Amino acid sequence: KINIIPEDIGRVLMNIYDNAFYAVSEKSKKNVPGYDPTITLTTKSEGNKIQIIIRDNGVGIAKKYVDKIYQPFFTTKPTGTGTGLGLSLSYDIIKAHQGEIKVDSAEGEFTEFTIELLYD
C-alpha cells in the first residue's frame, strides 16, 4: 500500500502527459520520415519504492533547460500555450509525498520522467 492523495498524483501525471502530448505533436509537425509518436507508461516496484516512468519520443528538452524545468513560470512553449507551472507544481506535490521526480532527455529524441514514491 502507498499513502498518497490520489487527486494530487493524478494532477502530476496529467501535467506530464500534457507535456508529452505537446512534445510528440511538435515533432510530428516536422514530418520526420517514419516517425511514430509514442508515449509509454511503466510502473515497477523496486525495494521499498514504486516507480512511475513516463517516456515520450517527442522533441526532448535541451540540456540548457533541464535544470530550469521545475522553476515556477519557466516554459519553453510559445506564449499563451503554457503557464510554466505544471512541472513546478508536480515537483512540489511529489516532494510533499516524500518522493522524487527525475528527468532524462535528449533534445530531438525523447523525454523520460521517473517518479519514485515510498510504500510501507
Side-chain angles (χ1 to χ4, degrees):
K1 291 187 175 189
I2 191 162
N3 190 18
I4 61 167
I5 300 170
E7 295 82 7
D8 285 353
I9 300 303
R11 185 172 295 125
V12 170
L13 295 174
M14 286 304 299
N15 284 330
I16 295 172
Y17 296 151
D18 185 52
N19 287 341
F21 289 133
Y22 180 82
V24 297
S25 174
E26 289 299 300
K27 189 166 181 177
S28 290
K29 292 176 186 175
K30 296 180 180 189
N31 296 317
V32 176
Y35 176 64
D36 183 25
T38 306
I39 299 170
T40 59
L41 171 71
T42 307
T43 58
K44 60 183 170 179
S45 177
E46 193 171 276
N48 67 336
K49 59 187 165 188
I50 61 141
Q51 291 184 329
I52 303 167
I53 303 158
I54 301 137
R55 182 182 179 102
D56 69 68
N57 66 344
V59 294
I61 303 169
K63 284 207 181 290
K64 65 182 178 180
Y65 297 135
V66 170
D67 292 338
K68 299 177 183 181
I69 63 171
Y70 300 118
Q71 294 176 6
F73 305 109
F74 177 80
T75 184
T76 59
K77 295 177 183 173
T79 304
T81 307
T83 63
L85 291 174
L87 289 176
S88 172
L89 290 170
S90 296
Y91 179 86
D92 291 345
I93 288 168
I94 296 301
K95 286 297 179 187
H97 282 80
Q98 284 77 51
E100 286 189 66
I101 183 169
K102 304 171 189 172
V103 66
D104 184 22
S105 188
E107 190 172 7
E109 299 293 323
F110 74 93
T111 299
E112 181 176 278
F113 280 93
T114 302
I115 298 166
E116 293 182 342
L117 297 167
L118 298 174
Y119 66 86
D120 300 328

